[in-house]
Amino acid sequence: MRDEVRLGDARSLRAYAHPLRMRLIGLLRGEGPMTATQAAARLGNTVPNCSFHLRQLAKYGLAERAPGADQRERPWQATARYTSWDDDSDDPAVRAATDSLNSVLLGQYVERAQAYLAARPDEPVEWRTAGGFSDALVHVTADELRELTQRIDDLLAPYAVARRGTRPVHLIHLALPHD
């Protein structure tokens, strides 16, 4: 699996900006190869719908058939650990597609936070005190913000692979310039 697949044209950005497609890729990245039937059961969706969207993801290089798949059981896998895109295009169609994709992504972040809040009372105290929300107002130039974001990415990199005794945790990083 590659580290990253980069989307740059409006069509691929719009194709990825579908909530179910983003959930499917997240599922394949988090849990490994699975069939459309398995994905549908995990996501509470239908097999034909998941199958269609997996084929669409494959069309744009985000998913592929897993090695060793036979005609009876046909698992899918993500092609890369991450999906990235640039937010600096001068093309209005690309900007609109990027804005749409970022909006879907933000909606998924909010859903994750709400799910965490709903499940939080059932978490062991060690996890309730370790998780949570915070924010910081920093004063930086655009170059410093890029550097800070890179340093955060570098800091998180060693924790990207599951290890014995660990649990997956979503760290959501938003860098939002303030008025």
Side-chain angles (χ1 to χ4, degrees):
M1 179 183 304
R2 298 181 312 218
D3 275 343
E4 176 183 42
V5 62
R6 190 161 197 79
L7 305 177
D9 63 286
R11 188 175 182 148
S12 65
L13 290 162
R14 282 193 310 270
Y16 188 51
H18 188 286
L20 179 57
R21 292 177 190 165
M22 294 179 85
R23 285 187 181 97
L24 283 164
I25 285 298
L27 188 63
L28 294 176
R29 287 176 178 155
E31 297 187 20
M34 65 180 58
T35 64
T37 301
Q38 293 165 324
R42 292 279 292 116
L43 298 175
N45 213 293
T46 67
V47 175
N49 200 28
C50 285
S51 183
F52 170 78
H53 287 291
L54 285 163
R55 287 191 309 274
Q56 291 301 302
L57 289 165
K59 181 177 175 181
Y60 294 98
L62 295 158
E64 64 189 4
R65 291 290 183 186
D70 61 29
Q71 290 301 328
R72 202 182 98 232
E73 187 170 287
R74 302 182 52 152
W76 293 88
Q77 66 184 12
T79 59
R81 294 184 210 299
Y82 306 102
T83 304
S84 65
W85 54 93
D86 290 325
D87 281 331
D88 62 354
S89 177
D90 289 330
D91 181 337
V94 172
R95 274 200 318 265
T98 300
D99 289 347
S100 176
L101 176 52
N102 287 333
S103 179
V104 170
L105 192 57
L106 180 60
Q108 289 187 343
Y109 292 161
V110 170
E111 285 177 19
R112 286 179 188 155
Q114 290 170 330
Y116 167 75
L117 288 176
R120 188 174 187 271
D122 299 326
E123 290 286 344
V125 69
E126 67 184 355
W127 284 100
R128 285 196 313 267
T129 58
F133 302 89
S134 70
D135 68 303
L137 182 62
V138 297
H139 297 268
V140 294
T141 65
D143 285 340
E144 289 169 333
L145 182 55
R146 278 189 288 279
E147 178 188 343
L148 181 58
T149 298
Q150 184 59 56
R151 289 174 63 191
I152 291 168
D153 290 345
D154 293 345
L155 180 66
L156 298 177
Y159 305 100
V161 177
R163 298 174 327 278
R164 180 181 220 129
T166 65
R167 178 177 177 185
V169 173
H170 285 115
L171 288 177
I172 299 167
H173 171 240
L174 303 172
L176 308 171
H178 185 56
D179 292 340

